[in-house]
Amino acid sequence: GLPMAMLNLGGTTALQFWFTGFFQKGIRKFSNNDAYVQMGGSFLGGLASGIPCSIWELTMIQQQRFGGSIISAPSRIFSQYGLHGLFRGLAMTLGRESIFTLSMLGITPAIQKELVERSGLDSSSALAGGALSGAIFAATITHPLDTIKTCLQ
């Protein structure tokens, strides 16, 4: 239900921002290339956020199919399938979240920066161009991953 959906959306987004910053700081120790730091950190931030996101989304899908609470749905899966059952669809979630976060926190600001510097667009217009480009990239690649994940869960 709704509480799990709220936890998933808010929690995953918060983790994406936190982990992206964490990994960008770590990558910065080895590289001064801003694009590498930005893209690498955002990809890894999304990858890390995919672990709890996968369990949260599994819980939501199982609640929709069979009912139950935030606690009883994953408990039922664990009792029937063990720890392995809680991670159904994990690989697809990791792929989806890493590409999505790369797009949101890596590609979008990189395109915005390039548009401002190379074309002289104001920052807001360049942000719109970066966001649209990033969204098309993310949607094209992540949609199949999300569909497969949902079927697995």
Side-chain angles (χ1 to χ4, degrees), residues 73-121:
S75 296
R76 182 185 52 75
I77 294 164
F78 182 76
S79 67
Q80 289 179 347
Y81 303 103
L83 190 58
H84 181 265
L86 290 175
F87 292 101
R88 284 191 299 211
L90 177 64
M92 295 297 112
T93 307
L94 295 177
R96 185 194 67 197
E97 294 304 316
S98 61
I99 298 298
F100 172 78
T101 308
L102 168 66
S103 177
M104 176 176 64
L105 299 178
I107 292 172
T108 294
I111 291 174
Q112 178 188 18
K113 180 182 176 197
E114 289 297 315
L115 288 174
V116 168
E117 290 176 359
R118 294 183 186 218
S119 71
L121 281 175

